[in-house]
């Protein structure tokens, strides 16, 4: 059974820092991996989707990498801003594709002025 | 604006009183699903639907029903809610079965 772990559970950094959020999964046979952000009282917003054949994806200040063989993905946030404060979740889709994702429990990020 | 809309956003009810949480998407997505989010457990899939009249169980389907009579709508039905169904519920949709997921803003349900 796939398990997805995100460490740390919470992180506080000063504005302007570059930071890395981690996502680990136990079964490397994945189809793709998706990163989301969740703001308090809101739904999940998709940030990046990485297919299993890709090594990384970039969107603005965000860069997500995928090392399938080691069961790891990282989300890199450059020049963090207070508006980046949110909970970041990763989710993996099994190797056969389909609509069943396994989510991590998230990293709660706070970027302070 | 492309979106997934859930209603109600907040609901407090009592044990055994049937309720329905509606979900509607305007992106012509084939795939829709329901998740619940609980502290320490993350998001877990309840049910999903691949198309009209085609649904299947997710990881935690007990106590829930769904229907997909129209492509845009995917309501979640709790026939006899119990306190352990107190949770934050999310509806999601995607164009492809393995494509990018789009989420609604969530429905916080409390069952007393």
């Amino acid at each position: 059974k796939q398990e997805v772990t995100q460490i740390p559970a919470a992180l506080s950094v000063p504005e302007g820092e570059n930071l890395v959020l981690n996502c680990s999964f136990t079964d490397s046979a994945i189809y793709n991996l998706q990163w989301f952000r969740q703001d308090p009282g809101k739904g999940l917003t998709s940030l990046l989707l990485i297919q299993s054949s890709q090594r990384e994806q970039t969107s603005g200040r965000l860069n997500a990498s995928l090392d399938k063989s080691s069961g790891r993905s990282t989300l890199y946030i450059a020049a963090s801003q207070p508006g980046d404060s949110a909970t970041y979740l990763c989710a993996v889709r099994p190797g056969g594709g389909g609509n069943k994702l396994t989510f991590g429990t998230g990293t709660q990020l706070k970027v302070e002025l | 604006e492309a979106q997934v809309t859930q209603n109600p956003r907040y609901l407090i009810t009592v044990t055994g009183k049937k309720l329905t949480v509606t979900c509607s998407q305007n992106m012509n997505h084939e795939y829709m699903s329901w998740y619940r989010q609980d502290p320490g457990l993350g998001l877990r899939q309840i049910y999903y639907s691949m198309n009209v009249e085609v649904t299947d169980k997710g990881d935690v389907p007990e106590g829930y029903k769904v229907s997909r009579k129209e492509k845009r709508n995917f309501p979640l039905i709790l026939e006899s809610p119990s306190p352990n169904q107190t949770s934050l519920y999310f509806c999601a949709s995607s164009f492809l079965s393995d494509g990018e997921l789009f989420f609604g803003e969530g429905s916080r349900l409390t069952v007393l």
Side-chain angles (χ1 to χ4, degrees), chain B residues 28-100:
Chain B
N28 201 35
H29 284 171
E30 302 263 327
Y31 297 87
M32 299 185 73
S33 51
W34 277 102
Y35 292 83
R36 61 178 288 174
Q37 185 178 36
D38 302 288
L41 296 176
L43 279 94
R44 294 176 293 167
Q45 191 181 65
I46 304 170
Y47 268 96
Y48 66 97
S49 169
M50 293 76 79
N51 210 328
V52 174
E53 301 291 4
V54 183
T55 63
D56 203 354
K57 296 177 181 178
D59 296 317
V60 288
E62 296 78 20
Y64 304 95
K65 285 176 57 177
V66 292
S67 69
R68 187 96 180 270
K69 293 184 168 52
E70 304 166 285
K71 195 173 186 178
R72 64 182 293 126
N73 296 322
F74 190 45
L76 179 69
I77 303 158
L78 284 74
E79 293 271 2
S80 182
S82 61
N84 65 12
Q85 293 179 298
T86 293
S87 188
L88 180 58
Y89 291 87
F90 288 102
C91 180
S93 72
S94 62
F95 183 64
L96 300 173
S97 65
D98 46 24
E100 187 178 11

Side-chain angles (χ1 to χ4, degrees), chain A residues 1 13-14 16 20-21 27 42-43 51 53 62 65 67-68 75 77 81 84-86 88 92-94 97 99 105 107:
Chain A
K1 180 188 173 187
V13 300
V20 173
L21 305 180
D27 185 350
K42 299 282 189 179
Q51 302 296 342
S53 58
L62 304 179
S65 68
D67 184 343
K68 207 172 69 162
L75 179 67
I77 304 177
Q81 304 169 358
D84 295 329
S85 298
Y88 289 81
V92 299
R93 185 173 268 114
N99 207 239
T105 51
T107 295

Side-chain angles (χ1 to χ4, degrees), chain A residues 5-26:
Chain A
T5 304
Q6 293 185 249
I7 295 173
L11 181 63
S12 182
V13 300
E15 183 181 13
E17 275 211 1
N18 302 324
L19 58 101
V20 173
L21 305 180
N22 297 297
C23 172
S24 301
F25 44 95
T26 55

Side-chain angles (χ1 to χ4, degrees), chain A residues 11-102:
Chain A
L11 181 63
S12 182
V13 300
E15 183 181 13
E17 275 211 1
N18 302 324
L19 58 101
V20 173
L21 305 180
N22 297 297
C23 172
S24 301
F25 44 95
T26 55
D27 185 350
S28 62
I30 66 168
Y31 189 85
N32 58 32
L33 182 148
Q34 193 167 355
W35 282 94
F36 299 88
R37 71 174 277 169
Q38 183 176 19
D39 294 282
K42 299 282 189 179
L44 281 70
T45 301
S46 177
L47 297 173
L48 290 161
L49 174 70
I50 312 179
Q51 302 296 342
S52 63
S53 58
Q54 297 175 315
R55 296 286 292 183
E56 64 179 62
Q57 280 279 14
T58 298
S59 175
R61 294 183 295 109
L62 304 179
N63 176 279
S65 68
L66 175 63
D67 184 343
K68 207 172 69 162
S69 60
S70 67
R72 294 186 61 186
S73 177
T74 61
L75 179 67
Y76 175 83
I77 304 177
S80 58
Q81 304 169 358
D84 295 329
S85 298
T87 297
Y88 289 81
L89 296 144
C90 66
V92 299
R93 185 173 268 114
N99 207 239
K100 288 194 175 188
L101 274 72
T102 302

